[in-house]
Structures are given as C-alpha cells and as structure tokens.
Amino acid sequence: KGYNSARIVGDVGNAVQLSVGYCVVHLFSKPDLIGFQQYMVNFFHLMAKYKQLGLISSVMSFFDAVTHLIGNVEVYKIDMGIEMKKNKELCRVAEQTQSTYLMHHIIVTRMHVHFYFREYILVVGLAEEYRIIHMGENKGTKRILDWVVVFFGGISALCLARDTKKEKWRKIGEESVKTMKQLLGHSTWNFENKLYLLQAELNYTNKRDDMARLLYQAAIESANNHSLFHEEALAHELYGAHLVETNMIVEGIGHLRSSVEKYAAWGAMKKANAVLDLIELVNQPIYLWKCK
C-alpha cells in the first residue's frame, strides 16, 4: 500500500525504500516464494529508468536468494530493463562502493541460502562477517535482521559441534539460545518456534535425545499454529535428520517427507529436491548426514 501510494505521487525514492523493506520482511515470512519472485521482477521493470542503483542492488540480493531456493535460474534470461547481478557480482559492487548497507543484505541472503542447503560452515563464516561489519561506531545497535544470525548461525554451530566435537561451536549455540529467549519477549509469533528448534538442537548436541524430540515436536506445532510453514518444513527436516541419526529410520523418513511437502508448498522446489536426495542417503553410512 505504501509502495503504491509513493509511486502514485511520484516519490520514487520512498517507493524504492519501501520495496527494499518489503523484501527484507518477506524473504523470511512470505508463504509464496514464486509470487515474491514475480513481485521483484515487476519491481525491476518499474525501476529500470531510475538511478537508485544501491537500493536496487539490495533487492537483487534477495532475488538471487529466492531464485536459488526455487531453482528456476532461467528467470535471469528475462529482460528486466537493468543489468541483473548475482551475489558474487553484488559483493564486488559493495566492496567497490564501500556500501555497508548492501553488504549487510548480501551477507544475510547468502546465509539464508547456505543454511537451507545445509552448508553450515559457510553460514558460521558469514555470521562472523556480519558481526565484523557492524562493529565500530554502531556496535550494539539492534537491527531487524539480527535474528537471522542468531537463528541460522546458532543451528549451524550446533550441527558443527556434533560433527567436530569442538566446544567453540557448542558455546555459540548456547549463546544463540540465550539471545533467542530475549527475542521471544518481543514476539512470540515470530520467535517461539525458532527458540524451540534451537533448544532441540542444543539438547541433541548434549545427548539429551528425549528432551530434544519433545522440543522438535513443539517447534513443528508452533510453526504450524503461526502459519510459518516454511519454518515448519525446517523443523520437520531437522527432526527427521535427528531421528535417522539416532536409528529411528521409519519415523525420520516420515518427517523428512513432511518437510518436502512443506518446502514444495513454499515454492522452494530446489530445496525440496535436496531433501529428497537426503532421503535417498538413509541406507548409506550415517556420516553422510553430517554437516558440510
């Protein structure tokens, strides 16, 4: 509504700012990735004649993340009226222009993609980059996407803790649980399921499997109750992986298949297919489930 109003009155700068804000929120909450991708295609067409390149580049970083999850890279062949860039190219732009704003969005969107494709060592590296770029005069400032680093970074660290037995990763996971408890005070709707999932992963790491399973189930129920079915998909996936890794194969496959259905409903077909590939590995040596 605000975006359309700004366009109608000719306030292009505000329209672009509002569009970036829309992308920030909807990458992590919108239940229709394909519709979101089309929104951004329309945005690029409309903004092609304006010189808001820094902000348009931020939207490109969100577009790149969504396209990775959907898997329809052919969309880049569409003439959108501007030179489209993927995240590697956008990184060079951010470095050349010294744009912390753009780099902030690039790191968050890259973290999002690497996390969903279980590339956890890359996620924790990006989480550290995020912390570094926000040190200095703005240190301590709270940002709307800080929770991404807490949640994705925390779960990734806990998976790495189980895989490597290194205490530093478990400590990062523990700190993420503490921070998520604080965030829960601001919004139960947004953060309850995330806290349950972090706690489940921490209990699993600490070999408290019975408690972990209760918390995985609570995360699934909370995400479902709050209509966050992409996060319900994630909870099913992590619970399924836990069950397979603890030799509850049939139950684990059931949750993994539930995650495939939820990811497909979200529009993340490439991610859904990646989980199907995991299911194919169930009869392979258990180490194949470990973190990348």
Side-chain angles (χ1 to χ4, degrees), residues 9 22 57 94 107 109 113 150 159 203 209 218 241 247 265 271-272 281:
V9 301
Y22 179 94
S57 293
I107 288 174
T109 53
V113 171
V150 174
C159 183
N203 275 275
D209 290 343
N247 296 316
K271 171 59 187 175
L281 295 177

PDB file of all heavy atoms in Angstrom, residues 9 22 57 94 107 109 113 150 159 203 209 218 241 247 265 271-272 281:
ATOM      1  N   VAL A   9       2.273   9.325  -6.245  1.00  0.00           N
ATOM      2  CA  VAL A   9       2.624  10.741  -6.052  1.00  0.00           C
ATOM      3  C   VAL A   9       4.002  11.084  -6.613  1.00  0.00           C
ATOM      4  O   VAL A   9       4.461  12.217  -6.495  1.00  0.00           O
ATOM      5  CB  VAL A   9       2.548  11.135  -4.557  1.00  0.00           C
ATOM      6  CG1 VAL A   9       1.153  10.909  -4.013  1.00  0.00           C
ATOM      7  CG2 VAL A   9       3.584  10.383  -3.728  1.00  0.00           C
ATOM      8  N   TYR A  22      10.052  -4.342   2.088  1.00  0.00           N
ATOM      9  CA  TYR A  22       9.169  -5.471   1.775  1.00  0.00           C
ATOM     10  C   TYR A  22       9.989  -6.748   1.581  1.00  0.00           C
ATOM     11  O   TYR A  22       9.642  -7.816   2.081  1.00  0.00           O
ATOM     12  CB  TYR A  22       8.376  -5.146   0.513  1.00  0.00           C
ATOM     13  CG  TYR A  22       7.431  -6.231   0.038  1.00  0.00           C
ATOM     14  CD1 TYR A  22       6.090  -6.223   0.414  1.00  0.00           C
ATOM     15  CD2 TYR A  22       7.867  -7.248  -0.806  1.00  0.00           C
ATOM     16  CE1 TYR A  22       5.220  -7.213  -0.031  1.00  0.00           C
ATOM     17  CE2 TYR A  22       7.004  -8.235  -1.260  1.00  0.00           C
ATOM     18  CZ  TYR A  22       5.682  -8.207  -0.880  1.00  0.00           C
ATOM     19  OH  TYR A  22       4.824  -9.189  -1.320  1.00  0.00           O
ATOM     20  N   SER A  57      20.312  -2.826  -6.021  1.00  0.00           N
ATOM     21  CA  SER A  57      21.263  -3.917  -5.800  1.00  0.00           C
ATOM     22  C   SER A  57      20.871  -4.745  -4.589  1.00  0.00           C
ATOM     23  O   SER A  57      21.026  -5.973  -4.582  1.00  0.00           O
ATOM     24  CB  SER A  57      22.681  -3.359  -5.627  1.00  0.00           C
ATOM     25  OG  SER A  57      23.139  -2.784  -6.834  1.00  0.00           O
ATOM     26  N   ALA A  94      29.531  -3.908  -3.681  1.00  0.00           N
ATOM     27  CA  ALA A  94      29.528  -3.437  -2.296  1.00  0.00           C
ATOM     28  C   ALA A  94      30.929  -3.054  -1.841  1.00  0.00           C
ATOM     29  O   ALA A  94      31.121  -2.044  -1.145  1.00  0.00           O
ATOM     30  CB  ALA A  94      28.944  -4.508  -1.379  1.00  0.00           C
ATOM     31  N   ILE A 107      25.164 -10.482   2.870  1.00  0.00           N
ATOM     32  CA  ILE A 107      25.550 -11.488   3.862  1.00  0.00           C
ATOM     33  C   ILE A 107      24.319 -12.240   4.364  1.00  0.00           C
ATOM     34  O   ILE A 107      24.325 -13.475   4.468  1.00  0.00           O
ATOM     35  CB  ILE A 107      26.309 -10.830   5.032  1.00  0.00           C
ATOM     36  CG1 ILE A 107      27.702 -10.402   4.571  1.00  0.00           C
ATOM     37  CG2 ILE A 107      26.421 -11.799   6.220  1.00  0.00           C
ATOM     38  CD1 ILE A 107      28.473  -9.608   5.602  1.00  0.00           C
ATOM     39  N   THR A 109      21.348 -12.666   2.925  1.00  0.00           N
ATOM     40  CA  THR A 109      20.719 -13.524   1.908  1.00  0.00           C
ATOM     41  C   THR A 109      21.589 -14.728   1.571  1.00  0.00           C
ATOM     42  O   THR A 109      21.070 -15.828   1.347  1.00  0.00           O
ATOM     43  CB  THR A 109      20.394 -12.721   0.634  1.00  0.00           C
ATOM     44  OG1 THR A 109      21.568 -12.031   0.166  1.00  0.00           O
ATOM     45  CG2 THR A 109      19.304 -11.690   0.902  1.00  0.00           C
ATOM     46  N   VAL A 113      20.563 -18.848   2.092  1.00  0.00           N
ATOM     47  CA  VAL A 113      20.681 -19.921   1.102  1.00  0.00           C
ATOM     48  C   VAL A 113      21.585 -21.042   1.616  1.00  0.00           C
ATOM     49  O   VAL A 113      21.223 -22.228   1.551  1.00  0.00           O
ATOM     50  CB  VAL A 113      21.211 -19.374  -0.236  1.00  0.00           C
ATOM     51  CG1 VAL A 113      21.535 -20.513  -1.197  1.00  0.00           C
ATOM     52  CG2 VAL A 113      20.184 -18.431  -0.865  1.00  0.00           C
ATOM     53  N   VAL A 150      21.457 -14.998  14.675  1.00  0.00           N
ATOM     54  CA  VAL A 150      21.245 -15.774  15.901  1.00  0.00           C
ATOM     55  C   VAL A 150      20.695 -17.159  15.578  1.00  0.00           C
ATOM     56  O   VAL A 150      21.213 -18.178  16.058  1.00  0.00           O
ATOM     57  CB  VAL A 150      20.281 -15.026  16.849  1.00  0.00           C
ATOM     58  CG1 VAL A 150      19.927 -15.896  18.061  1.00  0.00           C
ATOM     59  CG2 VAL A 150      20.890 -13.711  17.307  1.00  0.00           C
ATOM     60  N   CYS A 159      25.144 -27.995  14.839  1.00  0.00           N
ATOM     61  CA  CYS A 159      25.395 -29.131  13.946  1.00  0.00           C
ATOM     62  C   CYS A 159      26.895 -29.373  13.820  1.00  0.00           C
ATOM     63  O   CYS A 159      27.362 -30.514  13.872  1.00  0.00           O
ATOM     64  CB  CYS A 159      24.779 -28.872  12.579  1.00  0.00           C
ATOM     65  SG  CYS A 159      24.952 -30.266  11.435  1.00  0.00           S
ATOM     66  N   ASN A 203      19.845 -29.634  22.909  1.00  0.00           N
ATOM     67  CA  ASN A 203      19.653 -30.864  23.685  1.00  0.00           C
ATOM     68  C   ASN A 203      20.179 -32.078  22.932  1.00  0.00           C
ATOM     69  O   ASN A 203      20.769 -32.982  23.532  1.00  0.00           O
ATOM     70  CB  ASN A 203      18.172 -31.037  24.031  1.00  0.00           C
ATOM     71  CG  ASN A 203      17.780 -30.279  25.284  1.00  0.00           C
ATOM     72  OD1 ASN A 203      17.935 -30.768  26.405  1.00  0.00           O
ATOM     73  ND2 ASN A 203      17.292 -29.062  25.111  1.00  0.00           N
ATOM     74  N   ASP A 209      18.405 -36.829  24.146  1.00  0.00           N
ATOM     75  CA  ASP A 209      17.565 -37.086  22.980  1.00  0.00           C
ATOM     76  C   ASP A 209      16.068 -37.018  23.278  1.00  0.00           C
ATOM     77  O   ASP A 209      15.292 -36.528  22.452  1.00  0.00           O
ATOM     78  CB  ASP A 209      17.915 -38.453  22.379  1.00  0.00           C
ATOM     79  CG  ASP A 209      19.284 -38.453  21.720  1.00  0.00           C
ATOM     80  OD1 ASP A 209      19.807 -37.351  21.444  1.00  0.00           O
ATOM     81  OD2 ASP A 209      19.833 -39.539  21.485  1.00  0.00           O
ATOM     82  N   ALA A 218       7.522 -29.551  19.518  1.00  0.00           N
ATOM     83  CA  ALA A 218       6.971 -28.247  19.900  1.00  0.00           C
ATOM     84  C   ALA A 218       7.251 -27.213  18.815  1.00  0.00           C
ATOM     85  O   ALA A 218       6.408 -26.349  18.525  1.00  0.00           O
ATOM     86  CB  ALA A 218       7.566 -27.800  21.239  1.00  0.00           C
ATOM     87  N   ALA A 241      16.149 -35.594  10.421  1.00  0.00           N
ATOM     88  CA  ALA A 241      17.575 -35.906  10.425  1.00  0.00           C
ATOM     89  C   ALA A 241      18.003 -36.466  11.778  1.00  0.00           C
ATOM     90  O   ALA A 241      18.763 -37.440  11.856  1.00  0.00           O
ATOM     91  CB  ALA A 241      18.383 -34.663  10.091  1.00  0.00           C
ATOM     92  N   ASN A 247      18.900 -43.698  14.680  1.00  0.00           N
ATOM     93  CA  ASN A 247      18.418 -45.030  14.276  1.00  0.00           C
ATOM     94  C   ASN A 247      16.908 -45.228  14.395  1.00  0.00           C
ATOM     95  O   ASN A 247      16.434 -46.352  14.536  1.00  0.00           O
ATOM     96  CB  ASN A 247      19.147 -46.119  15.075  1.00  0.00           C
ATOM     97  CG  ASN A 247      20.635 -46.137  14.767  1.00  0.00           C
ATOM     98  OD1 ASN A 247      21.031 -46.055  13.610  1.00  0.00           O
ATOM     99  ND2 ASN A 247      21.458 -46.207  15.806  1.00  0.00           N
ATOM    100  N   ALA A 265       5.293 -26.562  -1.048  1.00  0.00           N
ATOM    101  CA  ALA A 265       4.191 -25.608  -0.912  1.00  0.00           C
ATOM    102  C   ALA A 265       4.701 -24.180  -0.807  1.00  0.00           C
ATOM    103  O   ALA A 265       4.054 -23.236  -1.265  1.00  0.00           O
ATOM    104  CB  ALA A 265       3.358 -25.959   0.328  1.00  0.00           C
ATOM    105  N   LYS A 271      15.091 -26.801  -2.947  1.00  0.00           N
ATOM    106  CA  LYS A 271      15.307 -27.266  -1.578  1.00  0.00           C
ATOM    107  C   LYS A 271      14.543 -28.568  -1.330  1.00  0.00           C
ATOM    108  O   LYS A 271      15.075 -29.498  -0.720  1.00  0.00           O
ATOM    109  CB  LYS A 271      14.866 -26.196  -0.580  1.00  0.00           C
ATOM    110  CG  LYS A 271      14.842 -26.660   0.877  1.00  0.00           C
ATOM    111  CD  LYS A 271      16.196 -27.145   1.354  1.00  0.00           C
ATOM    112  CE  LYS A 271      16.111 -27.744   2.736  1.00  0.00           C
ATOM    113  NZ  LYS A 271      17.377 -28.336   3.193  1.00  0.00           N
ATOM    114  N   ALA A 272      13.311 -28.652  -1.793  1.00  0.00           N
ATOM    115  CA  ALA A 272      12.525 -29.884  -1.631  1.00  0.00           C
ATOM    116  C   ALA A 272      13.253 -31.063  -2.258  1.00  0.00           C
ATOM    117  O   ALA A 272      13.327 -32.157  -1.682  1.00  0.00           O
ATOM    118  CB  ALA A 272      11.141 -29.711  -2.252  1.00  0.00           C
ATOM    119  N   LEU A 281      19.803 -41.130   0.907  1.00  0.00           N
ATOM    120  CA  LEU A 281      21.035 -41.490   1.610  1.00  0.00           C
ATOM    121  C   LEU A 281      20.790 -42.252   2.908  1.00  0.00           C
ATOM    122  O   LEU A 281      21.745 -42.642   3.578  1.00  0.00           O
ATOM    123  CB  LEU A 281      21.839 -40.222   1.935  1.00  0.00           C
ATOM    124  CG  LEU A 281      22.377 -39.423   0.747  1.00  0.00           C
ATOM    125  CD1 LEU A 281      23.072 -38.164   1.229  1.00  0.00           C
ATOM    126  CD2 LEU A 281      23.331 -40.271  -0.087  1.00  0.00           C
TER     127      LEU A 281
END
